[in-house]
Amino acid sequence: MKLFYAPGACSLGIHILLEEIGKSFELVRLDLASGAQYKHDYTAINPKSKVPALVRDDGSLLTEWPAIAWYLAKTHPELGLLPEDLEGEVRTLELLDYMVATVHMRGFTRIFRPANFTPTNADEPAVAQTGRDVAATGFNLLSQALGAKAYLMGDYSIADAMLFCLEFWAVGRANISLPANLTAHLERMRARPAVQRALAAEGLT
Ligand SMILES: N[C@@H](CCC(=O)N[C@@H](CS)C(=O)NCC(=O)O)C(=O)O
């Protein structure tokens, strides 16, 4: 398999899952800041101009974080990256959709790229603040979802890889303080060898 990624982007979560799986895969780095995602070389592969994008062993492309993570979990059931019961599955999907579609796309994307949300430069601080408000609500709800458990679903699952990305951005890139149980989750994730390998491969600490 081949993962198109950008260092520290949400593709980091998929990279972590590939490391957890432990089979060989190829990494292809994209420089989002220089607009590589919009150049023909990449749009010919992924017309959505986003990472993560996974080219599978049969050559087919899979995009969208939850779909890629779901595919990896389902194709490696021995790793238990998803709960086995329907209620556990649907709660995992509920969390993934909230983390990606709301906290990432409506929160952090506003913080990191406010210009994408307004044609007026003067409005960008207000856009970023709206993103901070969305992220704050998100971390409050995610803290409640985690509670006193080690991982979101109790056992480690694909949801923890996405939560790690949000926590990593909060602390390392957006100067957002996390509730104590999310800080502990971040450190628990950092202690996993797969997370350490993914961070090292992306040149991150
Ligand atoms: N809905 C997509 C969102 C992916 C996404 O927004 N990725 C960001 C990086 S975290 C990206 O590729 N941004 C490039 C751009 O928007 O130009 C998913 O779930 O994979």
Side-chain angles (χ1 to χ4, degrees), residues 3-162:
L3 175 67
F4 289 85
Y5 81 104
C10 60
S11 46
L12 174 60
I14 300 298
H15 188 176
I16 288 168
L17 295 175
L18 287 168
E19 287 288 352
E20 298 283 3
I21 289 166
K23 293 184 184 159
S24 71
F25 61 92
E26 191 183 335
L27 279 175
V28 183
R29 178 181 172 140
L30 282 192
D31 182 4
L32 298 183
S34 72
Q37 69 275 34
Y38 300 111
K39 302 223 166 94
H40 178 71
D41 282 359
Y42 188 60
T43 56
I45 297 165
N46 180 12
K48 291 179 177 171
S49 294
K50 301 278 184 198
V51 292
L54 186 72
V55 176
R56 295 179 290 181
D57 291 337
D58 66 359
S60 64
L61 180 76
L62 195 57
T63 61
E64 305 298 329
W65 205 106
I68 298 171
W70 204 265
Y71 169 79
L72 292 176
K74 285 288 193 182
T75 49
H76 300 86
E78 70 284 3
L79 295 177
L81 293 169
L82 260 182
E84 286 176 4
D85 59 309
L86 176 60
E87 182 62 15
E89 279 196 341
V90 82
R91 291 295 176 194
T92 306
L93 190 53
E94 182 182 42
L95 281 166
L96 279 184
D97 192 52
Y98 181 62
M99 288 191 282
V100 174
T102 298
V103 187
H104 171 358
M105 303 308 299
R106 300 171 66 85
F108 280 99
T109 308
R110 276 194 170 90
I111 298 170
F112 296 148
R113 293 171 176 252
N116 288 1
F117 294 84
T118 173
T120 312
N121 287 356
D123 289 343
E124 290 180 21
V127 168
Q129 184 54 50
T130 301
R132 288 185 170 276
D133 295 343
V134 172
T137 302
F139 284 127
N140 186 24
L141 292 177
L142 290 165
S143 172
Q144 289 174 38
L146 179 63
K149 303 187 297 297
Y151 293 110
L152 276 171
M153 300 310 302
D155 292 331
Y156 181 73
S157 77
I158 54 177
D160 296 292
M162 188 62 220

